[in-house]
Amino acid sequence: MKIYSSFRYQLRDQRSAILVYYGVLASLFLVALIAMALAPAEANGFLSTNGVTAITMFFAFILSLCAFKESFLMNLQHGVSRRSQFLGRLGAMGVVCGVMALADEIYTLLVSLLHVVLPNGFQANSLYEMSYCMEYAEGRFTVQSSPATILLSVVFSFFLLLTVSSLGYLITVFMYRLSKMGKTIFWVGTPTVFILLSSYLSFHPAVQGKALRFIVGFGQMCCSTLPRTALTCTLLTALFSALAWLLMRRAAVK
């Protein structure tokens, strides 16, 4: 019963932020519509909202970064164990990612309806369609959309959002466990290592070429098809969640 209570609390804690996010998306789209309506006829306005899930992934990551400390302390104050909190978090994360994946597809479909009315003024494709359904014909790229791609787009977005959400949660739990000195070392050391590594690769083109070929090949192996992407995202989510639990189970109140 405490798992369900923690699940409801964590879900309610993120509800307002999600509503604000999609409210902003809708408002920006309405502003663009008004601007197109007021523009002179010779302006030939065009509105594209391709791959909105890419933006939602960034939002989901930020949302997860803010999902631990307040919820953790509040649940402990009400006698909810760390295990119940973590299981509630997994449930809330799954529901949130599912809702956002569905909302992204609904948003894309609504813009697509305007494309039917004004084909030269609007374009909307999901991130899945852009990644797996795009074809080159007559000198331009086109996307073949169907009822099946709508469902697959939701599934694709769900797994991507689940992965970035679990990564964000792992980072925020990790930062909670670090001391002030540890946080300073982490935030200073991480970009420093990245800069040094980039500098080393830039001065060694052969190594850089091998590294890029490995990264591209590994990415193609993991994400060349939807089943592979789903499997990769599932494994990453499981890894990030397991690490988050190992950190969370010994987290002290501070």
Side-chain angles (χ1 to χ4, degrees), residues 49 102-116 124-126 129 145-146 149-150 154:
T49 59
L102 184 60
D104 284 352
E105 189 60 26
I106 292 174
Y107 177 83
T108 302
L109 290 175
L110 290 176
V111 180
S112 298
L113 292 177
L114 293 175
H115 175 72
V116 174
N125 296 301
S126 67
E129 290 173 333
S145 185
S146 67
T149 61
I150 295 175
V154 175

Side-chain angles (χ1 to χ4, degrees), residues 9-10 13-14 17 58-72 89 164-165 167-173:
Y9 175 80
Q10 295 183 67
D13 188 48
Q14 297 185 332
F58 181 75
F59 169 75
F61 179 75
I62 299 300
L63 190 66
S64 296
L65 289 178
C66 305
F68 176 69
K69 184 175 181 179
E70 182 180 347
S71 173
F72 176 69
R89 164 62 189 173
V164 297
S165 295
L167 175 61
Y169 196 72
L170 170 61
I171 292 175
T172 192
V173 177

Side-chain angles (χ1 to χ4, degrees), residues 36-57:
M36 290 179 66
L38 297 178
E42 60 273 13
N44 295 323
F46 183 79
L47 178 62
S48 173
T49 59
N50 293 329
V52 68
T53 299
I55 304 174
T56 306
M57 288 172 60

Side-chain angles (χ1 to χ4, degrees), residues 7-229:
F7 162 77
R8 289 185 58 188
Y9 175 80
Q10 295 183 67
L11 195 62
R12 187 171 60 249
D13 188 48
Q14 297 185 332
R15 180 177 57 190
S16 298
I18 295 172
L19 291 175
V20 170
Y21 170 71
Y22 284 104
V24 170
L25 275 185
S27 299
L28 290 175
F29 181 71
L30 290 176
V31 169
L33 284 179
I34 295 172
M36 290 179 66
L38 297 178
E42 60 273 13
N44 295 323
F46 183 79
L47 178 62
S48 173
T49 59
N50 293 329
V52 68
T53 299
I55 304 174
T56 306
M57 288 172 60
F58 181 75
F59 169 75
F61 179 75
I62 299 300
L63 190 66
S64 296
L65 289 178
C66 305
F68 176 69
K69 184 175 181 179
E70 182 180 347
S71 173
F72 176 69
L73 298 178
M74 179 65 71
N75 277 279
L76 286 182
Q77 187 177 4
H78 287 81
V80 181
S81 67
R82 290 167 174 78
R83 177 178 176 276
S84 296
Q85 287 187 56
F86 181 72
L87 294 177
R89 164 62 189 173
L90 292 180
M93 183 173 65
V95 171
V96 167
C97 292
V99 169
M100 290 194 296
L102 184 60
D104 284 352
E105 189 60 26
I106 292 174
Y107 177 83
T108 302
L109 290 175
L110 290 176
V111 180
S112 298
L113 292 177
L114 293 175
H115 175 72
V116 174
V117 179
L118 298 170
N120 296 323
F122 300 92
Q123 182 182 9
N125 296 301
S126 67
L127 189 59
Y128 170 79
E129 290 173 333
M130 295 176 63
S131 301
Y132 298 105
C133 304
M134 189 168 286
E135 298 178 356
Y136 186 78
E138 299 180 356
R140 63 189 182 93
F141 287 98
T142 60
V143 174
Q144 299 297 326
S145 185
S146 67
T149 61
I150 295 175
L151 176 60
L152 293 177
S153 294
V154 175
V155 174
F156 178 73
S157 298
F158 170 75
F159 280 105
L160 292 180
L161 293 171
L162 202 64
T163 303
V164 297
S165 295
S166 59
L167 175 61
Y169 196 72
L170 170 61
I171 292 175
T172 192
V173 177
F174 176 68
M175 295 304 298
Y176 180 83
R177 289 294 305 272
L178 287 179
S179 62
K180 291 183 178 180
M181 180 60 68
K183 292 177 182 178
T184 302
I185 295 174
F186 177 82
W187 289 117
V188 173
T190 300
T192 301
V193 171
F194 179 78
I195 293 172
L196 291 176
L197 182 60
S198 300
S199 300
Y200 174 81
L201 292 176
S202 64
F203 283 106
H204 297 80
V207 179
Q208 184 181 37
K210 291 180 180 179
L212 289 176
R213 285 194 296 272
F214 172 78
I215 293 172
V216 171
F218 186 76
Q220 290 177 342
M221 180 185 69
C222 295
C223 305
S224 58
T225 63
L226 178 58
R228 288 187 178 187
T229 300

